[in-house]
Amino acid sequence: MSPQRAQEIWDSRLPFGELSMTDAERMAVRKVWTGMPGHTCFADALLRIARGEADAVQPVMIGTAVFTYGDEIIEQTPVYEGEMAGTDAVYARARRSIQMLGMPATDPVHGCNARLIKLQTATVKFYPRGH
């Protein structure tokens, strides 16, 4: 995605902030977003691309890494071409996703803090795309 296209997407957002983009463009922004600090949002990544501060390479998703703790699914994270399910990049993406979506953090079962602790000893299984 070019900076011009990212700016076009930003400028054409709807009243409640909805963005009109293709799935490939959305994945490109998510790829940039996964490399940013945990206190950022999707719009921050899109604006970083629009300012030319990040290269939005459209990644090829090859499957999903599913992290389980016993019979509980802790997190499901995309795995991109060139990665393996157990690599640091995939674990970092899972941690970031848990931090962003684990509300409230102090919930003893589903909260961010509990899920992050479980992630350290979770079992990971790779599911190829299309299966």
Side-chain angles (χ1 to χ4, degrees):
M1 174 188 313
S2 69
Q4 295 80 15
R5 175 63 182 140
Q7 187 65 50
E8 178 183 309
I9 291 168
W10 180 255
D11 291 341
S12 65
R13 65 190 183 280
L14 297 175
F16 291 102
E18 298 94 348
L19 301 169
S20 179
M21 57 181 27
T22 66
D23 288 340
E25 290 170 335
R26 191 171 307 281
M27 283 184 63
V29 175
R30 286 184 63 89
K31 182 72 172 174
V32 170
W33 187 26
T34 60
M36 294 172 61
H39 62 277
T40 59
C41 68
F42 187 87
D44 292 328
L46 181 63
L47 290 172
R48 183 176 279 190
I49 296 166
R51 291 190 302 261
E53 297 173 3
D55 292 327
V57 178
Q58 295 181 355
V60 176
M61 188 173 123
I62 60 170
T64 303
V66 178
F67 297 89
T68 57
Y69 183 82
D71 61 351
E72 178 184 359
I73 295 176
I74 303 299
E75 184 57 32
Q76 298 180 44
T77 305
V79 178
Y80 299 106
E81 190 172 50
E83 297 178 336
M84 294 178 59
T87 61
D88 290 341
V90 175
Y91 271 97
R93 193 174 304 124
R95 274 191 303 278
R96 184 173 183 285
S97 178
I98 289 170
Q99 290 169 343
M100 296 299 293
L101 302 174
M103 294 296 179
T106 56
D107 182 297
V109 177
H110 301 295
C112 171
N113 298 340
R115 290 173 61 210
L116 285 173
I117 291 169
K118 292 175 185 176
L119 181 67
Q120 295 172 4
T121 58
T123 304
V124 62
K125 182 168 181 175
F126 176 71
Y127 290 91
R129 187 171 177 206
H131 287 82

